[in-house]
């Protein structure tokens, strides 16, 4: 679905007459019906990469192909009608309502390709009493729902999501993750750029870590955590009226708990988070 080879990009001569290179030869592929996470802090190059993939940003080096076609050579409306985009900052007309925004954006696509605007908003649990009120009166979470509806209204085969759960409360974030998984089950390929490692861990089949314009790791979340885990177990227990905790090597538990206790409270693996792993590879935090 997506093939990227030796991708480079520079933002002109803006620093003492010198080019500011932000991407340094990226290589990766995204398979059909895959949810692929592109993860990194602000300024790492992830948004620049997405803008290149969606055709917004021109002038890159290397090769980028979508649907088997080089994006430099494709300029047809039909090609871009296969793509849906959720931008990090909502691109909506503030004086129009949710429905009016969606009806306007729907006019750029063939009628037979479109979903019903009301049904999409219902799926996103948009508040019905705001359907005809202007976007300027919406909360950030409500605007995010309309922006997601805009990305989904055209039944895209390839969906780009930039910080999809930004501005949502925990219930809204769970809803969005469920909808994204539903899209994948329909056969949609999803490319997610984010610095939210929980989203990446719960959603993505594979993730790429980008730092300073370089991909520093690429694998499944499970493999990354297993490869970078300590294989240790934290045991919490009660003994003689006191709460205690010990950390053991996992192998040592084969013979049972090797210390006296009155009651076990919890046993859990000390598995690193994706953010822990990112710090190991990139040497800095995501925020």
């Amino acid at each position: 679905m997506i093939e990227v080879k030796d991708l480079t990009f520079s933002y002109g001569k803006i620093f003492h007459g010198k080019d500011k290179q932000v991407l340094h030869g990226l290589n990766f592929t995204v398979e059909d019906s895959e949810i692929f996470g592109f993860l990194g802090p602000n300024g790492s190059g992830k948004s620049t990469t997405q803008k290149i993939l969606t055709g917004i940003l021109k002038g890159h080096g290397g090769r980028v192909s979508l649907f088997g076609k080089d994006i430099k050579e494709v300029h047809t409306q039909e090609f871009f009608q296969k793509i849906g985009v959720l931008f990090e900052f909502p691109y909506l007309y503030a004086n129009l309502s949710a429905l009016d925004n969606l009806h306007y954006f729907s006019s750029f696509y063939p009628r037979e390709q479109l979903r019903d605007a009301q049904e999409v908003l219902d799926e996103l649990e948009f508040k019905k009493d705001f359907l005809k009120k202007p976007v300027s009166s919406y909360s950030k979470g409500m605007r995010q729902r309309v922006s997601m509806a805009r990305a989904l209204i055209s039944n895209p085969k390839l969906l780009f999501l930039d910080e999809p759960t930004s501005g949502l409360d925990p219930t809204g974030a769970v809803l969005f993750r469920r909808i994204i998984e539903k899209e994948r089950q329909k056969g949609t390929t999803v490319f997610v750029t984010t610095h939210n490692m929980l989203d990446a861990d719960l959603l993505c089949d594979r993730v790429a870590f980008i730092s300073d314009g370089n991909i520093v790791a690429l694998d499944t979340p499970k493999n990354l955590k297993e490869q970078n885990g300590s294989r240790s177990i934290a045991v919490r227990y009660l003994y003689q009226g006191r709460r205690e905790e010990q950390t053991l090597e996992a192998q040592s538990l084969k013979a049972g708990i090797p210390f006296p206790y009155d009651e076990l409270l919890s046993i859990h693996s000390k598995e690193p988070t994706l953010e822990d792993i990112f710090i190991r590879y990139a040497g800095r935090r995501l925020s």
Side-chain angles (χ1 to χ4, degrees), residues 5-287:
K5 185 172 179 59
D6 299 326
L7 176 61
T8 60
F9 188 81
S10 298
Y11 278 111
K13 296 181 178 181
I14 56 177
F15 290 99
H16 304 292
K18 297 180 180 179
D19 285 350
K20 170 64 175 176
Q21 187 168 354
V22 293
L23 301 178
H24 305 281
L26 306 187
N27 292 281
F28 63 89
T29 60
V30 182
E31 304 300 328
D32 290 353
S33 303
E34 181 178 23
I35 301 178
F36 185 88
F38 203 64
L39 317 179
N42 294 332
S44 61
K46 66 182 191 300
S47 293
T48 297
T49 302
Q50 175 164 292
K51 288 176 182 176
I52 292 169
L53 296 182
T54 53
I56 295 172
L57 205 53
K58 310 293 185 182
H60 62 274
R63 177 180 171 83
V64 174
S65 63
L66 276 61
F67 308 106
K69 297 181 179 180
D70 190 326
I71 199 167
K72 286 182 178 178
E73 301 171 1
V74 178
H75 305 285
T76 64
Q77 187 176 12
E78 181 183 0
F79 178 84
F80 289 102
Q81 284 173 343
K82 300 177 184 178
I83 298 170
V85 182
L86 171 68
F87 298 97
E88 180 178 4
F89 303 104
Y91 284 84
L92 302 168
Y93 290 97
N95 60 323
L96 298 181
S97 68
L99 283 174
D100 287 340
N101 266 280
L102 293 181
H103 290 151
Y104 172 72
F105 291 118
S106 294
S107 66
F108 297 107
Y109 299 92
R111 183 172 298 178
E112 63 274 11
Q113 184 178 330
L114 294 171
R115 296 176 62 179
D116 181 81
Q118 180 71 66
E119 289 180 1
V120 177
L121 288 171
D122 286 346
E123 184 178 359
L124 288 160
E125 298 181 2
F126 188 82
K127 295 178 181 179
K128 287 184 168 55
D129 51 340
F130 279 85
L131 283 171
K132 296 185 178 180
K133 292 182 179 180
V135 166
S136 58
S137 67
Y138 297 174
S139 67
K140 186 175 181 181
M142 291 171 66
R143 293 183 187 210
Q144 191 73 348
R145 282 171 162 79
V146 182
S147 296
M148 178 62 104
R150 175 187 170 180
L152 298 176
I153 194 85
S154 61
N155 269 315
K157 297 184 182 301
L158 176 57
L159 185 59
F160 289 94
L161 304 176
D162 194 355
E163 303 294 350
T165 60
S166 175
L168 299 175
D169 60 22
T171 301
V174 170
L175 172 67
F176 267 45
R177 288 194 288 265
R178 188 167 69 240
I179 288 171
I180 294 166
E181 176 57 34
K182 184 178 178 181
E183 285 299 307
R184 186 260 288 280
Q185 291 173 3
K186 287 167 46 181
T188 306
T189 303
V190 184
F191 186 94
V192 181
T193 53
T194 186
H195 59 255
N196 185 322
M197 287 294 168
L198 178 61
D199 283 347
D201 204 356
L202 294 175
L203 274 174
C204 297
D205 299 301
R206 291 185 301 143
V207 296
F209 292 160
I210 183 170
S211 178
D212 298 323
N214 295 287
I215 292 177
V216 293
L218 197 166
D219 210 330
T220 67
K222 179 182 177 182
N223 285 346
L224 286 170
K225 286 188 285 188
E226 286 182 353
Q227 292 163 10
N228 291 275
S230 63
R231 303 186 186 279
S232 58
I233 304 292
V235 181
R236 294 176 182 170
Y237 59 97
L238 288 176
Y239 183 59
Q240 295 181 348
R242 295 196 308 271
R243 286 178 174 264
E244 305 281 357
E245 179 175 338
Q246 290 197 39
T247 299
L248 308 169
E249 290 300 312
Q251 290 290 337
S252 69
L253 291 180
K254 284 186 176 181
I257 303 296
F259 52 78
Y261 62 91
D262 297 321
E263 180 184 353
L264 291 176
L265 300 176
S266 67
I267 299 176
H268 61 90
S269 61
K270 301 192 73 171
E271 186 177 78
T273 66
L274 282 184
E275 181 155 10
D276 293 334
I277 297 166
F278 183 88
I279 292 168
R280 293 182 192 179
Y281 283 102
R284 60 172 172 151
R285 292 188 173 276
L286 284 159
S287 55

